[in-house]
Amino acid sequence: MTTFVLVHGAFRGGWAWQRVRPHLVAAGHDVHAPSLLGAGERVALAAAVTGLDSWVDELEALLVAEDLADVVLVGHSQGGIVTTALAARVPERLRCVVHLDAAVPDPGERALDLGPGGPVPDRDLLVPPRPLAADTADGGDLDAATAAWTSARLTPTPVAPSLDPVPAVPDGVRQIYAFCDRTPPGYPSQVTRARLDARGTPYTVLAAGHDAPLTAPELVADLLLSAAGQTLDLHMSDI
């Protein structure tokens, strides 16, 4: 049995893994998909998020309290800054880190540094979400029903974690990168991908949009099981 800890991206919560989790559980694995402080059902606590450590501290506490080890740690989108910082804290508890269409700053950089630049926002700012629109007519994979379901659950995201430098993942921790081929231009994950191209670092490309955990859950589950040294041989109809 493998233990997976799945960390969601900005504006989302643990619910963003709802369609991936059944595949991993059905394959016999232990899955944790917490909502970060101030996100999802914990949105009322957003003012308590004062920096990146607010999220890293509670995930470290989860790993310690549940005595989790040999963990496949997964960060989607903005979740990549959290999992990267957590890997620097508890490398001895990890099997690998999977960066899924994630923002992964270089050591000492902030998530903010992967954006277009401009004035530094106030640390206590909450960024409001924008409703998602279906994009299947434009070659995307986000259908109207999923767009509406997701939009109804989006919550503001605290800017404070994006203002703190992200530490380096220790050399002994295996890192796996995967990107979605239908992610719109301008996403921070594309900065990460361009840097990997320049450095010759290999990665996987999924035929999916940025919200692949919701639009292509089998592809994501297959990626994660592969990272864990497993294979996926089931379909949603089997669950």
Side-chain angles (χ1 to χ4, degrees), residues 2 4 29 72 95-96 98 174 176 223-230:
T2 297
F4 293 89
H29 303 298
V72 175
R95 181 183 303 184
C96 65
V98 181
R174 183 164 59 103
I176 297 166
L223 169 75
L224 303 186
L225 290 169
S226 176
Q230 309 287 329

Side-chain angles (χ1 to χ4, degrees), residues 81-114:
I81 69 170
V82 189
T83 53
T84 298
L86 181 62
R89 287 263 198 101
V90 291
E92 71 283 357
R93 290 184 177 270
L94 306 182
R95 181 183 303 184
C96 65
V97 179
V98 181
H99 305 291
L100 175 59
D101 217 31
V104 186
D106 284 342
E109 275 190 323
R110 308 163 298 175
L112 185 71
D113 297 325
L114 301 183

Side-chain angles (χ1 to χ4, degrees), residues 124-169:
D124 60 357
L125 177 67
L126 295 177
V127 181
R130 290 184 295 179
L132 302 181
D135 61 3
T136 52
D138 300 319
D141 64 347
L142 186 64
D143 61 74
T146 300
W149 184 89
T150 303
S151 295
R153 288 160 176 77
L154 298 177
T155 53
T157 196
V159 77
S162 296
L163 304 181
D164 292 337
V166 178
V169 175

Side-chain angles (χ1 to χ4, degrees), residues 98-102 176-180 189 196 202-206 223:
V98 181
H99 305 291
L100 175 59
D101 217 31
I176 297 166
Y177 296 86
F179 298 96
C180 301
S189 60
L196 297 184
Y203 54 78
T204 297
V205 177
L206 302 182
L223 169 75

